Amino acid sequence: DTAVSQTPKYLVTQMGNDKSIKCEQNLGHDTMYWYKQDSKKFLKIMFSYNNKELIINETVPNRFSPKSPDKAHLNLHINSLELGDSAVYFCASSHTFTLGPGELFFGEGSRLTVL
Amino acid sequence: AQSVTQPDIHITVSEGASLELRCNYSYGATPYLFWYVQSPGQGLQLLLKYFSGDTLVQGIKGFEAEFKRSQSSFNLRKPSVHWSDAAEYFCAVGPSGNTGKLIFGQGTTLQVKP
């Protein structure tokens, strides 16, 4: 029973298209994250939601729009895709951050390739 | 600014040999420290964490790490490496600000020779 699941696992698309990645966690956590891992494997946080409220919004182009319909789901929509958006996007979840940073549970990643 | 440095981008060890992966951090207060492992095509899995108390922490898969405040280090060790340990290893520190955000190092790729 997968704890953090994200779909799709692979996504190949053309520049200029719009795409979405979905994430769901069944751990009962109330904080969820999107991380971007670039070609050099560097992991950088993009967004974090706590109980459906946006709490972290790093310097990310506004073409990226997260949405959390409930605390178990965090989706990422990307408009007007660019070549530089090619990366692996990881969803993660943890208990509430107000207790200090807890263990992050990661999904398996969604590899986005923009042609 | 908070930061994490993993000085070794790539390390190769022979199976059965000991392993030490280095991690140095820059943080204004007592940090929370983590080591994660990423197997090929997989997400990240927590190996161990340090919040407070005993500076030598034990993790899964036979790994341990030692927090040394004076050296701002949190090095990961394993006495005898197995071929299945070949993976990418990430050190992380937090929290950053009041959001619980973790900052990750750039990772160390471990290759294990038979």
Side-chain angles (χ1 to χ4, degrees), chain B residues 25-111:
Chain B
Y25 65 89
S26 172
Y27 195 79
T30 301
Y32 292 4
L33 294 157
F34 305 80
W35 274 100
Y36 283 84
V37 61
Q38 182 182 22
S39 297
Q42 300 296 312
L44 282 76
Q45 180 186 21
L46 182 71
L47 283 175
L48 46 78
K49 60 190 177 188
Y50 171 78
F51 284 2
S52 64
D54 193 348
T55 56
L56 184 63
V57 293
Q58 303 296 321
I60 63 172
K61 305 184 181 186
F63 285 92
E64 66 178 26
E66 186 171 12
F67 170 57
K68 291 186 178 180
R69 185 189 302 275
S70 61
Q71 299 178 17
S72 297
S73 69
F74 188 57
N75 294 347
L76 181 71
R77 301 194 293 249
K78 186 170 185 178
S80 178
V81 169
H82 188 263
W83 64 266
S84 61
D85 293 324
E88 192 78 21
Y89 291 81
F90 293 92
C91 181
V93 66
S96 176
N98 62 353
T99 62
K101 182 175 77 173
L102 291 187
I103 297 187
F104 284 83
Q106 61 267 54
T108 297
T109 302
L110 174 64
Q111 184 177 1

Side-chain angles (χ1 to χ4, degrees), chain A residues 79-111:
Chain A
N79 290 324
S80 304
L81 279 157
E82 301 178 357
L83 293 177
D85 298 331
S86 295
V88 181
Y89 293 86
F90 285 100
C91 177
S93 72
S94 72
H95 66 65
T96 183
F97 67 91
T98 55
L99 300 177
E103 175 181 355
L104 292 178
F105 288 79
F106 283 84
E108 292 190 340
S110 296
R111 181 176 293 276

Side-chain angles (χ1 to χ4, degrees), chain A residues 6-62:
Chain A
Q6 44 183 118
T7 55
K9 193 165 184 177
Y10 299 96
L11 194 52
V12 181
T13 189
Q14 300 287 329
M15 270 198 317
N17 285 349
D18 304 337
K19 290 295 177 185
S20 292
I21 307 172
K22 296 185 176 182
C23 179
E24 175 182 6
Q25 55 94 4
N26 62 7
L27 297 167
H29 291 156
D30 51 16
T31 305
M32 295 185 71
Y33 310 79
W34 279 111
Y35 277 83
K36 179 180 180 180
Q37 186 175 47
D38 62 22
S39 58
K40 295 185 178 180
K41 300 195 175 180
F42 183 64
L43 270 166
K44 191 170 189 308
I45 192 166
M46 301 173 69
F47 302 104
S48 175
Y49 272 75
N50 178 257
N51 278 322
K52 303 193 295 176
E53 180 184 349
L54 181 67
I55 56 169
I56 296 175
N57 185 351
E58 293 292 290
T59 308
V60 177
N62 57 16

